[in-house]
Amino acid sequence: MAAQNCLVTNDWICGEYLRSRSQELTDATVQHIWITAVSVAIGVAVAFPLALLARRSRRFAGPVLGLTTVLYTVPSLAMFSLLLPLFGLSAALVVTGLVLYSLTILVRNILAGLEAVPQEAKEAARGMGYGPARLLWEVELPLAMPALMAGIRITTVSTIALTTIGSIVGRGGLGNLIDDALPSFFKAQVLAASVLCVLLAVVADLLLLGVQRLLTPWTRISSAHNAVDTAGTAKAV
């Protein structure tokens, strides 16, 4: 009886709400995941050539980094208002805004990763006959992968949070539920949607961390060697 009355008493934790609104929660979560995944994927596709352009010449680095930084400082309401005439009240409006916000993190991390590739590794590859394209894809990009994946992880977590802002145009995933619940302060809905956002961010970060470990097995080997060396030094002391 108490579980059924929790909707009437407007409790924060309400099992009846989860049971009666499970489909609504599922639909909002799926939309949230879809918007986040598409935004991050497009962001990476756009950021990569921009990072290559910035690395190619300092003449391009300043404008590219400056523009992406400026875009990140634009308030979300202003960003969506500027994009509204182009995309209307659609998911494309939210995705485009999130892509623009993601560029400052992704471009800087990709650029930092590429610039951190040891010069001797690049010289050795050139000595083996690697051309620019092969050098990039087979040497530089794999060695830059930790920085690239770190940027994708940060971007994904921040995009999951920013997706909720899309509720102002009805395309905010779990943010729609939070926005709908605020006028009446429906506690169970606010809490459920907020907790799901946090869980999505944690799960996404762990999954991407697993992908990063699979793509960079040499980092685990290096960490294992460092641990062995540290243990040996401590034992000797």
Side-chain angles (χ1 to χ4, degrees):
M1 186 68 178
Q4 295 178 348
N5 287 336
C6 64
L7 289 172
V8 178
T9 56
N10 195 24
D11 295 336
W12 282 105
I13 300 176
C14 183
E16 182 62 23
Y17 167 77
L18 297 177
R19 285 189 292 271
S20 62
R21 305 288 183 87
S22 59
Q23 188 59 51
E24 186 178 35
L25 287 168
T26 300
D27 293 342
T29 302
V30 170
Q31 184 186 70
H32 207 108
I33 294 172
W34 178 82
I35 291 175
T36 298
V38 171
S39 300
V40 173
I42 296 176
V44 172
V46 174
F48 190 71
L50 287 177
L52 293 180
L53 181 64
R55 187 185 66 153
R56 184 174 182 178
S57 171
R58 293 194 177 277
R59 181 180 60 183
F60 298 119
V64 168
L65 295 177
L67 176 61
T68 55
T69 300
V70 168
L71 288 173
Y72 194 77
T73 63
V74 177
S76 56
L77 290 177
M79 178 72 77
F80 289 158
S81 297
L82 293 171
L83 296 173
L84 184 59
L86 296 175
F87 300 101
L89 298 175
S90 65
L93 169 66
V94 180
V95 169
T96 303
L98 294 175
V99 168
L100 294 177
Y101 283 132
S102 72
L103 293 180
T104 184
I105 299 173
L106 290 172
V107 170
R108 289 177 182 275
N109 274 68
I110 295 172
L111 184 60
L114 292 174
E115 290 183 339
V117 175
Q119 189 63 34
E120 54 269 24
K122 292 188 284 187
E123 292 299 332
R126 292 192 185 98
M128 295 172 62
Y130 281 42
R134 190 181 178 191
L135 175 65
L136 173 64
W137 291 106
E138 297 186 17
V139 178
E140 293 180 300
L141 189 56
L143 292 177
M145 192 59 66
L148 171 58
M149 288 303 301
I152 293 176
R153 287 171 60 194
I154 296 171
T155 299
T156 300
V157 171
S158 64
T159 300
I160 288 173
L162 286 172
T163 296
T164 58
I165 302 172
S167 61
I168 62 176
V169 294
R171 298 292 191 277
L174 293 166
N176 293 339
L177 299 183
I178 296 174
D179 188 58
D180 292 343
L182 287 179
S184 60
F185 197 48
F186 189 0
K187 296 178 182 178
Q189 185 160 306
V190 171
L191 180 62
S194 300
V195 169
L196 282 173
C197 279
V198 174
L199 288 177
L200 281 181
V202 172
V203 171
D205 190 54
L206 291 176
L207 287 175
L208 289 172
L209 179 59
V211 172
Q212 178 179 337
R213 290 174 64 84
L214 288 175
L215 294 177
T216 57
W218 62 87
T219 59
R220 299 199 301 274
I221 296 174
S222 177
S223 298
H225 286 167
N226 291 337
V228 171
D229 292 343
T230 301
T233 303
K235 185 175 180 180
V237 174

